[in-house]
Amino acid sequence: MKTQNKIVYVLLTIFFSYTLLFSGFIYYSISNYAFTDFYKRLEIRAITTAKSQLENEGEGNIIRELRQEYLEVLPDEEIKMYKLPDNGDWQGIRELGRFRDGFIEEILEDGTSMYNDRRTFFYGTTYTTVGKATYLVTISAENYFITHHVHYLRNLLFTSLGIAFVIIFVVAFLFTRKYIQPINDIIEKVKEISSENLHLRLNQQSKNDDTISQLSQTFNDMLNRLETSFETQKNFISNASHELNTPLTSIIGEADVTLSKVRRPEEYIMSLQTILEEAEKLDKKTKALLMLAQTGFDGKRQKFQMLRADQLIMDVKDTVEKIYPGSKISIDFSLLPENPYRLKINANEALLHLALSNIILNGCKYSNFSPVHVALGVSDGKVIIIVKDEGIGIPDSEMKYIYDPYFRASNTENHEGYGIGLPLARNIVRMHRGELVVNSTENKGTTVQITLPCFFTNQEINDGKAEQIVKAYREGRASQVSGNI
Amino acid sequence: MRKTVLIPTDFTVKSLNLVKSALNANENCQLEIIILHGLYLPDSITEMLFFRKKEAIRKLENPAFEKSCQLLLSKYGSRIESLGVDLFSGYNRGAFENYLEGNRVDEIYAFSDHDFKPCHKRSFDLMPLIEKTSVHLTKVKWVDHGRRHDLDRNQLAALFFGHFSPS
């Protein structure tokens, strides 16, 4: 059964049974009240009639007047009075036979008795006059209220039940549709995402923390992680296939040329030296690339840890120089903050290393190894890393596609690549709750600005709590490590 | 020692480099920095009525400018006594002199290759007024490392990758 229908049925059952119970209660109490009330009215009539007819003139007249003036005549009202014989033998009075069995006995025993025969209500009582004569007074009348008002009430309740049913149904339907719709949207969108188009994301309508937004947020986070792990591998293959080729080619070429004829020993030494140099370069590159590929994605949870941003930049510079020995990277630390705790970020070192080195490698590659400038600064709770190159830039019209996997700008023909680096970098930065902004002018250069949240808030640094936290953090890690051993 | 330094700005990140140069030039001074922008007051009565200086500054500032101020504060926090943005709306030299005297400005820093770009329709260049004042004016030249792109004027990158050269 569809969830929507299920919810509609449940809501319908609950609210309808509630309404049913409620109207049943109203009907029961009103009709019950009508019965009691009507017997009361009959009693008054019986007593006043008996008084006015059986007592002496003066008193009786007043009561008769009162009765005529204030008590309306009930429909089919009929009052009878029978003088009871002194011996109590009432069986002789023939007319009493038309009442229900047991009616008269009850009157004689309890003083009053009542019953109803469908519409007609009967009430009987005894009346003792001043002259000690006992009379049996019976009154019968049609209960107009029961016959008309209560029926009307019943119909009214049934109609309102019907209306309530419709309203509840419509409300439940609309309500569930409103709340199920976003989930259906998410399902539709998730169906579209496969390993081919992992870069798609669910759109989050609102920033608040309702369950639906959290669900799409969780999905997006998961997709980020998935995509990153996919791309990490592709990135390695892409890098490896391009970067390892060049030294290999020169090694093969050198060996080939040397072996083409018999040469002097000096020449062999020379060429072997060249081969050794190239092989060493190859070794360095392979190691650097493998280091990049060994990200936290070994199928386990990614480990985030406290990290110094300036240290990270120095490490990345090292790696990039190993992969591109000809690269020129200048680092501008002129605006490094006074307080080193402001430089701490919470990051997965391997992944962030990969992201940053991809951006710097791109900077080197697409500027034909002219200098790449890297700067680091800290603003309010944010670590800002700026990478600026003087390369070929990105055409304005293509800026919106730069995060699509496998997209390569139209001016990159002379440079090898797969178009994986930047989307990967952005994914990684996103996983760190950061932001990556690219500004570029064609043929002039590109500036990439990465903003990452600081580990400490301003408050913590100003209060001097950072030191304690770092200490506690180190101890925690140490115990974790020893625990693992 | 304490000094009050005035820096003209057009609310670009590039102009904040002057803060850097002022701080570098006064190594052992506590600086009170006034970042000043020239903005004529509105002409219409209604606009005048609802003109608030703070509001006007808030509208002129852009995120990159604010972030750069934060960057500078986190770097030079202990040496900056205060860093405030102010508007000047006087017309003549006398008014400017009064402003300088009122704020006890000791020094003015400005670019020698000054390229003012108005960021509001009523913005005006303070440079002609600055040139004529009696307060000591230091001109600095900012040399970018590598090629310069004009786009960068208002990016955080404008705060880096360069050095001052005496002009």
Side-chain angles (χ1 to χ4, degrees):
Chain A
M1 197 195 290
K2 275 165 75 181
T3 318
Q4 183 175 5
N5 296 349
K6 214 186 269 175
I7 297 173
V8 169
Y9 293 144
V10 168
L11 283 178
L12 212 57
T13 319
I14 291 171
F15 283 105
F16 191 71
S17 42
Y18 169 74
T19 323
L20 200 66
L21 205 73
F22 198 67
S23 14
F25 178 70
I26 288 178
Y27 182 76
Y28 173 75
S29 0
I30 292 286
S31 59
N32 208 18
Y33 172 75
F35 271 64
T36 330
D37 186 57
F38 196 72
Y39 284 126
K40 275 256 159 60
R41 294 170 75 177
L42 290 183
E43 184 184 2
I44 291 171
R45 279 168 177 74
I47 303 276
T48 48
T49 315
K51 263 222 166 88
S52 66
Q53 289 189 4
L54 301 175
E55 297 296 339
N56 58 25
E57 280 292 293
E59 218 176 309
N61 277 342
I62 298 169
I63 292 169
R64 195 176 300 127
E65 270 170 32
L66 277 176
R67 189 185 190 296
Q68 265 164 7
E69 206 155 321
Y70 296 108
L71 293 180
E72 54 171 317
V73 179
L74 296 170
D76 293 340
E77 185 178 313
E78 198 184 350
I79 303 181
K80 292 268 166 57
M81 276 161 287
Y82 310 98
K83 190 169 192 293
L84 280 180
D86 288 339
N87 57 5
D89 177 26
W90 56 274
Q91 307 288 3
I93 306 167
R94 211 168 349 118
E95 276 180 63
L96 290 180
R98 66 192 177 93
F99 294 113
R100 207 179 64 178
D101 294 343
F103 180 60
I104 308 297
E105 285 92 334
E106 208 184 319
I107 298 173
L108 293 177
E109 215 165 282
D110 299 341
T112 57
S113 174
M114 58 205 86
Y115 77 93
N116 70 318
D117 176 21
R118 302 193 61 180
R119 294 174 165 201
T120 319
F121 282 62
F122 297 88
Y123 177 86
T125 184
T126 52
Y127 183 82
T128 313
T129 57
V130 188
K132 299 286 179 209
T134 309
Y135 285 86
L136 195 70
V137 186
T138 64
I139 177 166
S140 68
E142 188 194 330
N143 191 342
Y144 183 79
F145 187 80
I146 287 285
T147 51
H148 292 84
H149 288 91
V150 173
H151 281 160
Y152 179 70
L153 177 74
R154 196 180 61 199
N155 294 342
L156 196 71
L157 285 177
F158 273 120
T159 326
S160 58
L161 265 181
I163 295 171
F165 182 85
V166 174
I167 292 177
I168 293 166
F169 183 79
V170 170
V171 168
F173 184 75
L174 292 179
F175 172 81
T176 46
R177 199 175 61 175
K178 182 173 170 0
Y179 277 84
I180 296 290
Q181 193 57 42
I183 299 179
N184 284 337
D185 290 347
I186 289 177
I187 292 170
E188 282 302 309
K189 192 83 188 167
V190 170
K191 270 184 195 160
E192 283 175 22
I193 300 174
S194 66
S195 63
E196 298 306 309
N197 48 6
L198 263 179
H199 65 285
L200 290 180
R201 292 288 178 275
L202 305 177
N203 43 348
Q204 284 160 272
Q205 288 105 341
S206 53
K207 283 276 169 204
N208 59 13
D209 55 347
D210 66 49
T211 320
I212 302 290
S213 308
Q214 275 178 8
L215 182 66
S216 28
Q217 177 69 49
T218 316
F219 259 116
N220 282 348
D221 285 352
M222 190 190 74
L223 283 170
N224 276 347
R225 289 201 298 273
L226 262 180
E227 197 188 359
T228 313
S229 78
F230 267 87
E231 283 176 343
T232 314
Q233 295 165 12
K234 285 180 195 160
N235 190 59
F236 172 69
I237 295 167
S238 146
N239 278 339
S241 61
H242 292 137
E243 307 316 333
L244 302 185
N245 238 348
T246 327
L248 264 180
T249 319
S250 60
I251 288 173
I252 292 168
E254 184 76 30
D256 226 17
V257 171
T258 317
L259 286 176
S260 57
K261 63 172 187 180
V262 180
R263 290 172 191 278
R264 284 180 290 136
E266 297 86 60
E267 281 175 329
Y268 281 120
I269 290 171
M270 282 260 287
S271 74
L272 272 178
Q273 263 169 351
T274 322
I275 289 175
L276 182 65
E277 260 171 41
E278 290 296 322
E280 269 171 355
K281 262 188 216 164
L282 190 62
D283 183 46
K284 270 188 191 166
K285 274 191 188 186
T286 320
K287 272 187 186 145
L289 286 175
L290 276 176
M291 204 273 285
L292 285 186
Q294 281 166 355
T295 53
F297 280 96
D298 46 358
K300 293 174 194 159
R301 245 181 110 244
Q302 343 148 22
K303 286 180 201 108
F304 277 63
Q305 58 184 32
M306 202 191 289
L307 202 68
R308 269 187 72 144
D310 49 346
Q311 183 63 47
L312 178 77
I313 290 179
M314 300 306 290
D315 289 348
V316 170
K317 183 179 183 242
D318 234 32
T319 311
V320 172
E321 277 169 351
K322 269 184 201 157
I323 295 177
Y324 287 146
S327 60
K328 296 187 200 87
I329 301 163
S330 77
I331 294 181
D332 184 343
F333 279 165
S334 64
L335 283 187
L336 226 50
E338 290 172 321
N339 191 332
Y341 291 116
R342 286 186 195 276
L343 281 172
K344 300 266 189 195
I345 48 177
N346 191 22
N348 181 324
E349 187 174 1
L351 278 182
L352 212 54
H353 193 124
L354 176 65
L356 201 55
S357 50
N358 258 317
I359 289 168
I360 298 179
L361 281 172
N362 277 349
C364 293
K365 190 161 74 178
Y366 293 115
S367 64
N368 294 317
F369 302 105
S370 45
V372 174
H373 304 282
V374 185
L376 175 69
V378 179
S379 81
D380 186 26
K382 296 265 174 10
V383 172
I384 298 168
I385 301 170
I386 299 169
V387 179
K388 187 179 158 190
D389 67 54
E390 290 152 28
I392 56 173
I394 303 163
D396 256 353
S397 56
E398 291 169 18
M399 277 303 277
K400 55 188 167 211
Y401 306 117
I402 55 172
Y403 298 119
D404 293 354
Y406 307 113
F407 171 79
R408 303 201 67 221
S410 51
N411 54 354
T412 55
E413 284 139 7
N414 299 333
H415 305 270
E416 289 177 323
Y418 278 148
I420 296 171
L422 197 57
L424 174 61
R426 186 174 68 152
N427 261 339
I428 292 172
V429 172
R430 264 192 192 165
M431 277 166 61
H432 290 83
R433 305 247 167 271
E435 201 185 355
L436 187 142
V437 182
V438 178
N439 283 301
S440 186
T441 332
E442 198 175 355
N443 294 326
K444 290 238 173 100
T446 307
T447 313
V448 181
Q449 186 182 318
I450 300 173
T451 317
L452 293 166
C454 285
F455 193 91
F456 298 108
T457 59
N458 266 349
Q459 179 85 33
E460 281 169 341
I461 290 173
N462 291 341
D463 294 355
K465 276 186 196 156
E467 218 164 318
Q468 299 166 17
I469 295 176
V470 173
K471 214 183 238 173
Y473 181 84
R474 289 218 178 104
E475 276 163 17
R477 284 193 74 79
S479 66
Q480 220 176 3
V481 170
S482 62
N484 286 345
I485 295 165
Chain B
M1 229 174 86
R2 273 176 71 147
K3 262 189 185 175
T4 306
V5 170
L6 185 130
I7 283 159
T9 186
D10 50 0
F11 288 104
T12 55
V13 175
K14 194 184 163 225
S15 63
L16 286 175
N17 276 313
L18 288 168
V19 177
K20 255 164 97 179
S21 81
L23 283 157
N24 289 341
N26 299 286
E27 283 287 352
N28 38 21
C29 273
Q30 290 279 333
L31 289 192
E32 251 178 73
I33 298 168
I34 301 171
I35 301 173
L36 192 66
H37 183 72
L39 184 80
Y40 290 126
L41 287 176
D43 296 326
S44 87
I45 289 179
T46 35
E47 267 184 79
M48 274 291 272
L49 203 58
F50 294 104
F51 182 83
R52 298 277 178 283
K53 202 189 230 176
K54 267 188 188 158
E55 190 72 7
I57 293 173
R58 200 179 56 77
K59 274 187 188 157
L60 287 167
E61 277 178 341
N62 48 56
F65 184 84
E66 278 168 46
K67 239 183 202 167
S68 312
C69 288
Q70 296 280 354
L71 274 172
L72 288 167
L73 278 175
S74 69
K75 162 74 186 171
Y76 297 106
S78 62
R79 286 185 46 216
I80 297 177
E81 194 95 339
S82 71
L83 180 78
V85 185
D86 202 3
L87 295 178
F88 177 73
S89 39
Y91 287 91
N92 50 27
R93 194 182 140 190
F96 194 62
E97 287 284 357
N98 272 336
Y99 180 87
L100 294 181
E101 205 180 315
N103 289 291
R104 298 207 186 98
V105 175
D106 298 308
E107 245 181 301
I108 301 177
Y109 281 81
F111 285 124
S112 55
D113 53 342
H114 171 73
D115 55 339
F116 177 81
K117 288 216 174 97
C119 53
H120 189 272
K121 60 179 183 205
R122 291 195 307 272
S123 293
F124 66 95
D125 192 0
L126 286 172
M127 223 33 211
L129 292 172
I130 290 173
E131 303 267 15
K132 284 181 211 150
T133 58
S134 51
V135 177
H136 180 67
L137 169 69
T138 312
K139 285 200 169 179
V140 281
K141 192 172 168 59
W142 174 254
V143 181
D144 276 294
H145 292 161
R147 224 183 304 168
R148 223 179 94 185
H149 17 129
D150 226 27
L151 255 186
D152 273 1
R153 271 171 68 89
N154 215 4
Q155 275 177 25
L156 282 185
L159 211 52
F160 297 98
F161 316 131
H163 65 270
F164 303 103
S165 76
S167 56

